[in-house]
Amino acid sequence: MNSNSRNSNYILEVIDVRKRFGGIIALDGVNLKVKRGSMTALIGPNGSGKTTLFNVIAGVYKPDSGKVIFDGTDITGWPPEKIYHRGLVRTFQVPRMFKAMTVFENVLTAAKGNPGERFSTSPLRKIWKAIELKIAEKAVDIMELLKILHVARNLSSAISGGQMKLVELARGLMSDPIMLLLDEPAAGVNPTLAHEIFGFLRNLNKEQGISMLIIEHRLDILFDYVDYVYVMHRGKVVAEGTPKEIVENPVVVDIYLGEA
Amino acid sequence: MDKVGLVLGIIVVAIIAVFAAINVSYALDLIFFIAFYAIASLSLNLEYGYTGLSNFGKVGFIAVGAYIAGVLSAAFNVPFPLCVLAAAVAAAAVGAFVGIPTVKLREDYLGMATIIIGEMIRILLRNTPTNSVWGGVFGLRGIKPPFAFIKDPLARQFAYVGLSVFLFGLVYWLIERWGNSPLGRVLKAIRDDELAAKSVGKFTYRYKLLSLTLGSAIAGIAGALYAFYFLYLNPDTFIPLITFMIWVMVIIGGMANNAGVVLGTAIVILINRITQIAKDYIKLPLEPNYFQAMLVGLLIILFLMFRPQGLVPEKPVNTPSWEVLEKAEEEGRAKPPGGEEQ
Ligand SMILES: Nc1ncnc2c1ncn2[C@@H]1O[C@H](COP(=O)(O)OP(=O)(O)O)[C@@H](O)[C@H]1O
Ligand SMILES: [Mg+2]
């Protein structure tokens, strides 16, 4: 990577990304940029390609064409695990729990650099005990912050959908990410709690400087928290701007009225 | 729930003790079989119980270990410890060979590849020249017993079964350590949701391949133990039914629970032994071998329907992390939201 692009204003650049599934064109040349340190929203009606774009950025799908630049590095086509170690972490729209494991273990598993994760060293506790304890402290702190510490011992398949979303977020935070991609982090929770979650995310964004790209489709909830908004429709970015500009944008109004 | 395991464990030990009181050699034989199968079922537990890899060719990896150890001993007089080591390495190599192209693909491909490999190994062994050390369909002879210097047969059997139990203990310790460490969490994470595991940075391909390779090495050790117990090998003992039995042991014992798997192993073997003995005393309504297979088949259906978690269910991965959680809970940090207003 070169230092110029690393210091660039943009933490994430998506350049003309295309992806089709058979006859369905899910992404039809998407371009967007996320400012370093910003909290940016990605909105758009169901089926407009938001989740697919996340999957392309996070390495789950390879794009048919186009590029993804993260923190100055071209990560197009990288596998998800490598992207995670580079500092870009995503959560899933439909939570994906390690379902036969407790919430606590789910969160612990996401830590980076645990020497006890190797076949060769794991039998010898002495080697990894100290780091494991540090990781556990961190997991407890994060779970307390996200108010899921009281379900730490529960099986992750036996908690509410909203709590699963928070477990996903907790896992994401374990690695001290540079950037988070959050796919509907407050879906399925009531507006009060949704505001609480977005308020919390905004704090993280401000205090720890974690850049964020967040999918959400309730515009009213988003707009108090985010710096910038991209609007997708039928696999394309059709509008962008500050929340205020987006509310007043006739194109956006049309899309949302058309959906309703 | 753990009481179930404890009670059944005591019953198993009691039955073995009764056998020992009647006939020591028979009891030693029984103990050998439990140790041998337990090593095999623990290896499947590593692969399937922890990592979610469906190995349907377990018997093939055992056969590789048995034959490599057997040939080295019979033809080259290689000492027992080196034979066991070579058996592990050879079986591991076959495991890696099967795993490299299939572990990346969908789950079912590994299942198919292992079924085929398991049978291919048996057929290959059947077709070795009968006048070579391999012995083809006539089998492999001339394996040198490791305790040949002990002249009393019962004492010799005792020494060998003791050694086998010791090796079983080592394997148990190792898999238990792997399971109760950060590694255990990673393997279970891969089993539960591979994409989510990748998304939290785990190099799942490497873990799956290592799990299969090391599981195969352990199955190879079981094979070597088998070779030096019988001192004779025949390809047609390594039939798919053996793999099936090992699966039954893991499923009824309790996946990702090593103590449960050992218990499941002992129970399946005791059922087989007791039906074998029973056929001499009571007239069974069916050919005894079929009856046995039906009984085991029925057992697995009942377990899958009514106790899919097995006799001893999976436990959380035990690392010092729990002490940290406990301390936080004692400090009252684990309040449910809104709890403070109550
Ligand atoms: N794996 C897939 N296979 C086939 N079609 C898909 C797949 N993933 C998404 N799609 C299609 O791509 C389009 C965009 O979907 P998605 O990205 O989930 O939209 P959004 O997240 O904006 O609601 C939809 O038409 C969807 O059916
Ligand atoms: Mg979506």
Side-chain angles (χ1 to χ4, degrees):
Chain A
M1 77 202 73
N2 78 49
S3 53
N4 280 342
S5 50
R6 235 199 136 149
N7 293 334
S8 118
N9 257 337
Y10 296 102
I11 188 74
L12 181 74
E13 292 173 64
V14 173
I15 304 163
D16 201 28
V17 161
R18 290 166 198 277
K19 179 75 193 172
R20 58 191 302 166
F21 298 105
I24 301 167
I25 300 172
L27 300 176
D28 192 9
V30 175
N31 286 285
L32 63 79
K33 289 175 173 183
V34 176
K35 270 219 174 93
R36 196 179 286 273
S38 77
M39 187 154 153
T40 301
L42 180 60
I43 68 171
N46 264 329
S48 57
K50 306 180 298 294
T51 296
T52 305
L53 180 64
F54 267 26
N55 280 328
V56 167
I57 297 170
V60 177
Y61 300 140
K62 285 196 168 78
D64 300 332
S65 66
K67 264 189 187 174
V68 180
I69 313 287
F70 172 67
D71 196 17
T73 309
D74 184 347
I75 60 163
T76 320
W78 281 23
E81 56 273 31
K82 200 173 160 194
I83 292 175
Y84 178 89
H85 285 278
R86 185 62 183 77
L88 178 56
V89 175
R90 66 88 58 93
T91 66
F92 292 93
Q93 180 175 356
V94 181
R96 303 185 73 122
M97 296 291 101
F98 304 129
K99 55 185 180 300
M101 291 161 83
T102 60
V103 166
F104 188 40
E105 292 165 281
N106 263 263
V107 178
L108 291 170
T109 307
K112 256 183 194 169
N114 190 331
E117 289 184 357
R118 292 168 171 274
F119 276 97
S120 53
T121 49
S122 63
L124 305 164
R125 286 200 166 195
K126 246 189 270 164
I127 296 179
W128 51 263
K129 188 177 172 185
I131 293 179
E132 171 81 356
L133 289 174
K134 274 209 189 97
I135 287 169
E137 303 270 1
K138 185 171 178 178
V140 165
D141 289 347
I142 290 172
M143 287 190 296
E144 185 181 22
L145 213 60
L146 292 175
K147 299 184 176 145
I148 49 172
L149 192 55
H150 63 291
V151 292
R153 290 176 190 271
N154 292 30
L155 277 187
S156 60
S157 52
I159 56 176
S160 72
Q163 287 169 332
M164 288 184 190
K165 289 254 157 197
L166 294 173
V167 173
E168 287 244 358
L169 184 58
R171 288 195 309 210
L173 293 173
M174 280 302 285
S175 66
D176 297 319
I178 301 170
M179 178 172 189
L180 283 172
L181 301 174
L182 304 171
D183 197 343
E184 304 194 14
V189 305
N190 64 56
T192 317
L193 190 53
H195 276 288
E196 206 175 307
I197 291 171
F198 275 101
F200 170 79
L201 290 173
R202 188 55 161 170
N203 275 344
L204 267 183
N205 164 251
K206 288 233 167 97
E207 283 164 17
Q208 301 189 22
I210 303 173
S211 310
M212 296 184 191
L213 180 61
I214 305 177
I215 297 177
E216 168 63 58
H217 47 217
R218 286 169 295 183
L219 306 104
D220 50 325
I221 290 176
L222 264 180
F223 280 21
D224 297 336
Y225 305 97
V226 298
D227 303 303
Y228 204 72
V229 182
Y230 283 94
V231 185
M232 276 185 78
H233 187 48
R234 296 193 179 142
K236 279 193 165 100
V237 170
V238 291
E240 61 177 283
T242 61
K244 198 166 173 299
E245 287 163 358
I246 290 296
V247 191
E248 288 160 2
N249 188 324
V251 176
V252 179
V253 175
D254 268 3
I255 290 170
Y256 274 85
L257 284 180
E259 284 296 310
Chain B
M1 56 186 183
D2 257 346
K3 275 186 202 137
V4 177
L6 198 65
V7 169
L8 287 170
I10 291 168
I11 293 173
V12 164
V13 171
I15 293 173
I16 296 171
V18 169
F19 280 126
I22 300 167
N23 182 335
V24 177
S25 182
Y26 183 87
L28 284 174
D29 185 65
L30 184 60
I31 292 168
F32 172 78
F33 263 86
I34 293 174
F36 159 73
Y37 269 107
I39 294 174
S41 56
L42 284 171
S43 80
L44 183 64
N45 198 33
L46 172 65
E47 293 163 3
Y48 182 72
Y50 285 99
T51 324
L53 299 168
S54 302
N55 184 344
F56 294 127
K58 190 48 89 184
V59 73
F61 299 93
I62 297 172
V64 168
Y67 267 83
I68 292 298
V71 165
L72 288 177
S73 172
F76 303 101
N77 281 316
V78 175
F80 172 79
L82 287 181
C83 289
V84 175
L85 194 68
V89 171
V94 177
F97 173 78
V98 183
I100 286 168
T102 51
V103 145
K104 224 180 252 178
L105 306 174
R106 259 183 17 224
E107 216 178 309
D108 23 347
Y109 287 92
L110 177 70
M112 283 190 280
T114 47
I115 292 180
I116 293 164
I117 275 285
E119 268 297 86
M120 252 172 57
I121 286 166
R122 185 176 68 88
I123 292 163
L124 222 66
L125 290 169
R126 282 184 119 249
N127 287 291
T128 52
T130 48
N131 58 358
S132 74
V133 59
W134 300 86
V137 286
F138 295 151
L140 188 157
R141 278 160 223 283
I143 300 168
K144 317 284 189 304
F147 292 109
F149 58 89
I150 302 177
K151 290 299 167 232
D152 175 46
L154 191 62
R156 190 159 64 207
Q157 189 192 10
F158 186 83
Y160 189 75
V161 173
L163 180 63
S164 305
V165 170
F166 173 74
L167 279 176
F168 152 76
L170 277 186
V171 167
Y172 185 90
W173 176 86
L174 185 62
I175 297 184
E176 192 64 11
R177 277 301 177 109
W178 278 337
N180 285 308
S181 75
L183 171 72
R185 288 196 302 256
V186 175
L187 297 181
K188 288 182 178 186
I190 293 169
R191 173 198 68 186
D192 285 354
D193 192 326
E194 188 175 358
L195 178 57
K198 285 182 178 177
S199 298
V200 293
K202 306 309 172 202
F203 290 83
T204 61
Y205 175 68
R206 219 178 288 171
Y207 280 107
K208 284 160 75 177
L209 189 56
L210 273 171
S211 177
L212 185 65
T213 304
L214 293 166
S216 300
I218 293 167
I221 292 173
L225 284 177
Y226 183 94
F228 283 98
Y229 187 67
F230 287 100
L231 309 175
Y232 167 76
L233 298 170
N234 190 297
D236 292 326
T237 43
F238 299 100
I239 50 174
L241 182 67
I242 310 273
T243 303
F244 175 71
M245 285 296 187
I246 294 167
W247 271 88
V248 175
M249 291 162 178
V250 172
I251 290 169
I252 74 164
M255 284 180 297
N257 188 312
N258 297 315
V261 165
V262 175
L263 182 64
T265 304
I267 288 172
V268 170
I269 288 175
L270 282 179
I271 288 174
N272 279 348
R273 288 293 170 110
I274 291 169
T275 49
Q276 253 161 44
I277 295 169
K279 77 172 182 230
D280 296 338
Y281 297 94
I282 33 176
K283 202 171 147 24
L284 295 174
L286 276 169
E287 152 70 31
N289 285 327
Y290 294 158
F291 185 68
Q292 226 171 55
M294 277 178 58
L295 210 62
V296 172
L298 185 70
L299 202 63
I300 195 153
I301 290 169
L302 288 176
F303 265 88
L304 289 177
M305 283 175 67
F306 298 112
R307 206 177 162 90
Q309 74 275 37
L311 288 170
V312 194
E314 181 175 341
K315 303 272 182 311
V317 171
N318 183 14
T319 78
S321 59
W322 293 97
E323 296 159 19
V324 176
L325 179 62
E326 204 158 307
K327 194 162 148 275
E329 286 166 344
E330 275 164 15
E331 287 165 1
R333 291 167 66 188
K335 294 184 295 278
E340 55 270 47
E341 283 121 45
Q342 285 170 2

